[in-house]
Amino acid sequence: MNKPARVFLSALLFTSICIPQLSLAATSSSSKGEDLKVAGWIPYWSVKAGTKSALKHIRDLDAVYPFVYTVKQDGTLKDNGKITSYYWRKLFKEAKRRDVDVIPTVTSGDKSVIESILLDPKLRKSHIKEIVKVVEKGDFDGIDIDYENRSKASINEFSLFLKELKDALGDKQLVCTLEPRTPADSLWKTPPDPIPYSNDYDEIKKHCDVIQIMTYDQQRADIKLNEEKAGQPYFPNADIDWVEKVADLADDSLPKDKLMLGVPTYGRHMEVTVAPNWFKNYVGLGAVNEPGALKIAKDNKVKPSVNRAGEKVVTYIPKETDSKVARAIKSMKVPKDTPSGMEAALQALAYADKTGETVIVNMVWWSDADAIEEKVELAKDEGWRGIAIFKIDGQEDSDIWKLF
């Protein structure tokens, strides 16, 4: 649920055959899943704009997650978002009036920090006290735990931590935000036996009131889809085909009435190395949101199109490219049915195939309302509790709110 100086956060930041798009009208009139819950994370790096957007759309929300707390080495919490500030207090007051849950997130992607706490009973106990103190002091409705990048070595201690934390919280909610599981045969050519899972689903479902699966930051995780959708650049946030796989796997072990599908509102700006016959490498140039993506498209005179993951894409030749090479790339012919946003990438591939040279094309790939709509429909069809939006920061595609 990829945004800031830590490894896991960069993944949040930076962490298909086209699926026909469903109409907004069809979504709003669907009789199945009418009670779908909607929650969203408000990030600490965009408190003013994020709380403003959440307030504007408070009628559409069932819960808000202030994404503010990180974990220190000693198990205490760092408030990165000044959670007692005016903007938060204004949102919390309105949320309470409208019976919208306020549940802060405690997050970490530092394996050494989290595992040192989990594996030390005394440190784990004091860490739990810190969390409960935050909930009680803020009169919050619960806490959201998002501890990423852990290893199998801490799987039992993490389950014990959740049990102890839930006991300490009493009637307050324990929300557990988990990394997605790509099916083993789509993640490895030869799956290990046993698979080194870091989360025990059987234990988690006992202790967590809500379980959120972060179905984003897919990137190149699914080797089967990478192969199936080759021929164009493929570096998705959340291909609907991959999300369905992850959802089906979660369905096998976790109760639907607790499950929330995490959906992204952001994207990535990337440098793609184009070699003869393939798109060889992807390097992140930074995070991108809907307004930024559209500006890049406008600046480079490219019309965005839907990519093979059902998300939006723009490709263009970087200005740093040698002018002679740039002209040669742009003169290359591509199939008439090439999506507008992929034209530059396929021209670069044609140039590489013809000359044997390696060239660079830049790409912007992001999740908009149409891409999210597919996930909303999936959550409804699967009978899940709801969806969780990462992130609400005023930069999300405004059309997503029409879905609810």
Side-chain angles (χ1 to χ4, degrees):
M1 174 25 104
N2 187 179
K3 271 152 177 278
R6 51 192 186 81
V7 174
F8 88 97
L9 197 54
S10 66
L12 289 174
L13 276 166
F14 298 110
T15 356
S16 319
I17 302 300
C18 282
I19 307 298
Q21 300 302 310
L22 303 168
S23 71
L24 295 178
T27 299
S28 61
S29 64
S30 174
S31 61
K32 189 172 185 177
E34 286 180 347
D35 59 348
L36 194 73
K37 302 293 184 183
V38 180
W41 286 275
I42 303 168
Y44 65 79
W45 55 88
S46 189
V47 172
K48 183 177 179 179
T51 54
K52 182 179 179 180
S53 182
L55 275 168
K56 182 178 179 181
H57 302 289
I58 196 73
R59 289 185 178 89
D60 300 314
L61 291 164
D62 296 284
V64 291
Y65 304 135
F67 192 83
V68 296
Y69 291 107
T70 51
V71 183
K72 298 181 184 179
Q73 186 77 45
D74 63 358
T76 58
L77 304 183
K78 180 180 179 182
D79 176 2
N80 299 278
K82 298 180 180 178
I83 203 162
T84 59
S85 68
Y86 165 76
Y87 300 108
W88 288 119
R89 286 187 283 111
K90 184 178 179 182
L91 173 63
F92 298 164
K93 182 179 180 180
E94 184 64 11
K96 185 173 183 179
R97 190 176 78 84
R98 293 185 177 275
D99 199 26
V100 174
D101 291 336
V102 177
I103 302 174
T105 297
V106 181
T107 186
S108 177
D110 190 324
K111 173 180 176 288
S112 63
V113 168
I114 291 302
E115 294 198 337
S116 67
I117 293 170
L118 294 176
L119 296 171
D120 183 330
K122 290 184 179 179
L123 200 52
R124 189 174 67 240
K125 184 177 180 180
S126 64
H127 180 52
I128 289 170
K129 285 184 177 179
E130 285 287 319
I131 294 172
V132 173
K133 183 170 68 175
V134 162
V135 174
E136 292 177 346
K137 185 177 180 180
D139 192 25
F140 297 125
D141 296 289
I143 202 74
D144 169 34
I145 299 296
D146 174 20
Y147 293 172
E148 303 176 34
N149 298 325
R150 292 175 295 100
S151 70
K152 184 178 180 180
S154 65
I155 186 171
N156 293 330
E157 286 75 14
F158 182 62
S159 297
L160 182 58
F161 162 72
L162 294 178
K163 179 184 184 302
E164 294 170 342
L165 177 56
K166 179 56 184 173
D167 290 343
L169 287 169
D171 60 357
K172 298 288 186 177
Q173 294 181 59
L174 175 55
V175 178
C176 299
T177 297
L178 308 178
E179 295 150 306
R181 285 185 183 177
T182 300
D185 62 352
S186 293
L187 188 60
W188 294 284
K189 289 184 178 179
T190 304
D193 186 18
I195 297 171
Y197 289 136
S198 60
N199 292 313
D200 184 337
Y201 278 2
D202 287 337
E203 288 297 312
I204 284 171
K205 68 185 179 185
K206 295 178 186 177
H207 312 306
C208 302
D209 300 299
V210 177
I211 303 169
Q212 305 189 131
I213 308 296
M214 296 182 286
T215 47
Y216 40 81
D217 290 326
Q218 172 191 350
Q219 302 176 9
R220 301 287 291 175
D222 191 314
I223 59 174
K224 286 187 176 180
L225 289 178
N226 294 345
E227 184 176 346
E228 287 175 19
K229 303 193 178 187
Q232 295 181 11
Y234 184 69
F235 201 88
N237 274 347
D239 187 332
I240 186 63
D241 291 343
W242 173 75
V243 175
E244 287 178 350
K245 290 185 184 184
V246 173
D248 287 344
L249 191 59
D251 271 347
D252 291 341
S253 304
L254 298 171
K256 293 176 183 287
D257 61 349
K258 290 187 176 186
L259 281 167
M260 300 279 282
L261 192 71
V263 298
T265 63
Y266 60 92
R268 305 174 187 84
H269 193 185
M270 284 170 281
E271 177 184 279
V272 183
T273 301
V274 187
N277 300 317
W278 67 311
F279 297 97
K280 184 178 180 180
N281 194 31
Y282 301 82
V283 176
L285 298 176
V288 66
N289 295 310
E290 169 93 352
L294 294 177
K295 185 178 187 305
I296 292 172
K298 182 178 179 181
D299 290 346
N300 289 278
K301 300 178 181 179
V302 180
K303 181 181 178 181
S305 60
V306 178
N307 53 46
R308 291 182 170 183
E311 298 175 308
K312 284 294 193 300
V313 70
V314 164
T315 60
Y316 65 95
I317 307 303
K319 291 182 172 58
E320 302 77 29
T321 305
D322 178 84
S323 59
K324 183 178 179 181
V325 172
R327 287 195 298 272
I329 293 173
K330 292 177 182 178
S331 70
M332 303 301 296
K333 295 186 181 300
V334 295
K336 290 182 179 180
D337 61 351
T338 297
S340 56
M342 281 293 183
E343 185 172 0
L346 295 192
Q347 286 177 323
L349 182 63
Y351 176 84
D353 288 345
K354 180 178 180 179
T355 64
E357 298 176 11
T358 296
V359 293
I360 298 295
V361 65
N362 285 355
M363 178 169 70
V364 186
W365 188 302
W366 75 100
S367 179
D368 67 345
D370 289 336
I372 291 173
E373 185 177 18
E374 292 183 323
K375 282 82 175 185
V376 170
E377 286 299 304
L378 175 63
K380 288 180 178 180
D381 291 343
E382 293 287 337
W384 281 27
R385 175 187 177 91
I387 68 161
I389 303 165
F390 192 88
K391 50 195 173 33
I392 301 173
D393 60 355
Q395 298 287 301
E396 67 273 9
D397 183 348
S398 61
D399 283 346
I400 70 171
W401 300 107
K402 298 177 183 178
L403 303 173
F404 316 128

